[in-house]
Amino acid sequence: MTFSRSSSISFFILALFGVLINPAISSRVSSFIKLPSSVESRSSDVSYCEGWRLAAETNNAGTWRVVPSQCENYVKNYINGGQFDKDYDVLASYAIAYAKTINLAGKDKDAWVFDVDETLLSNLEYYKAHGYGSEPYDNTLFNEWVVKGNAPGFDASLRLYKALKKLGFTIILLTGRDESQRSITEKNLRDAGYFGWNRLLLRGHEDQGKAAAQYKSEQRAKVVKEGYTIHGSAGDQWSDLQGFAVATRSFKVPNPMYYIP
């Protein structure tokens, strides 16, 4: 059997029309056609979220309230997939290397300041239940988690903490938690493996309503006034590290789940 060119074209048009009006065939064709753009969309989300996390960590994103909705899975994978632990471990190594260069003056006045939440203690179990930071912060729910006292330590922070103690630094803990949470916080820290800190500074009545950077700067200033030299500090928020009476060198712990100004 032979076909003329015009007959071939007519047959092709009829076949194509048949595909388009046949729901089963059309569905399979549409699914196949959409697949590349779907892959491209996922790739674009990962690329965007990598850029967003870099901007957040370097404080270029400014004040932000929640993790972008398309980045929830990215943050989840970053935290649970091992990269966060590797990043924190690298930070700890740099901090220890720096600490070893310090010529301690003695008299227990050589200080290192640590934040608590997401620096020494991990609240990941809380944030797992709240979208890894993609849900707005709820102070009541978070405080209910805090008083359970179940937050574990990080392997990297424990390594850094113990190394600094061994080198002879005086450890000062400075947290945004309230004074009313002192007992449970001290117990939680000890249960997580932290011992021998010089003091634990928490928000008193006079500190309520102050921005984190102001409150923590004021607390550090009191420490400096007592004659301490703050050689180093570690915190997961820029507000832990900036302001006045700052450390000679500060180390920013990764945290893409929330931002505290």
Side-chain angles (χ1 to χ4, degrees):
M1 182 181 292
T2 60
F3 288 86
S4 66
R5 186 168 182 272
S6 60
S7 296
S8 298
I9 294 172
S10 298
F11 177 78
F12 174 76
I13 292 173
L14 288 171
L16 178 62
F17 182 70
V19 168
L20 293 175
I21 64 175
N22 186 313
I25 298 176
S26 178
S27 174
R28 290 196 295 270
V29 171
S30 298
S31 175
F32 175 77
I33 292 173
K34 289 180 180 179
L35 183 58
S37 62
S38 176
V39 171
E40 181 181 354
S41 175
R42 290 197 297 271
S43 176
S44 296
D45 280 349
V46 170
S47 179
Y48 167 77
C49 294
E50 286 177 345
W52 173 81
R53 186 176 73 84
L54 176 62
E57 291 294 355
T58 54
N59 208 23
N60 289 328
T63 301
W64 52 275
R65 293 185 63 251
V66 294
V67 171
S69 58
Q70 67 267 43
C71 297
E72 179 180 343
N73 283 334
Y74 172 85
V75 172
K76 175 183 176 180
N77 292 334
Y78 171 74
I79 296 292
N80 295 325
Q83 190 58 52
F84 167 82
D85 293 322
K86 293 175 182 177
D87 289 350
Y88 201 166
D89 197 57
V90 169
L91 179 151
S93 295
Y94 277 120
I96 293 170
Y98 160 70
K100 288 179 178 178
T101 69
I102 304 301
N103 184 19
L104 302 186
K107 299 182 180 179
D108 298 324
K109 293 296 184 179
D110 298 291
W112 193 289
V113 177
F114 279 100
D115 171 54
V116 173
D117 292 300
E118 269 57 68
T119 300
L120 297 181
L121 297 178
S122 170
N123 299 301
L124 180 58
E125 288 303 313
Y126 171 83
Y127 284 99
K128 278 183 180 179
H130 296 280
Y132 292 88
S134 63
E135 298 178 9
Y137 174 71
D138 187 307
N139 188 62
T140 299
L141 290 178
F142 182 73
N143 284 328
E144 289 174 358
W145 156 260
V146 166
V147 298
K148 293 179 180 179
N150 295 330
F154 298 100
D155 290 343
S157 62
L158 281 163
R159 182 166 73 89
L160 173 57
Y161 186 97
K162 291 176 181 179
L164 293 172
K165 286 289 296 177
K166 187 175 181 179
L167 288 169
F169 284 89
T170 295
I171 305 297
I172 296 173
L173 310 183
L174 175 54
T175 176
R177 293 187 178 192
D178 288 346
E179 182 63 42
S180 61
Q181 296 169 331
R182 175 174 294 279
S183 294
I184 192 62
T185 300
E186 289 179 339
K187 182 179 184 302
N188 196 164
L189 286 163
R190 287 192 295 269
D191 289 346
Y194 302 101
F195 298 93
W197 58 82
N198 173 271
R199 68 188 73 181
L200 171 63
L201 301 171
L202 302 99
R203 282 184 185 264
H205 177 74
E206 68 281 5
D207 300 311
Q208 300 302 316
K210 292 180 181 178
Q214 178 188 352
Y215 156 68
K216 294 201 169 185
S217 292
E218 290 174 352
Q219 295 302 314
R220 288 193 303 267
K222 292 177 183 177
V223 169
V224 171
K225 190 174 181 180
E226 291 179 28
Y228 288 89
T229 298
I230 303 177
H231 294 286
S233 65
D236 68 291
Q237 299 294 314
W238 286 101
S239 54
D240 296 331
L241 311 173
Q242 296 178 330
F244 52 91
V246 296
T248 303
R249 184 169 174 184
S250 298
F251 294 85
K252 170 68 169 66
V253 178
N255 182 1
M257 294 189 296
Y258 61 83
Y259 176 90
I260 300 176

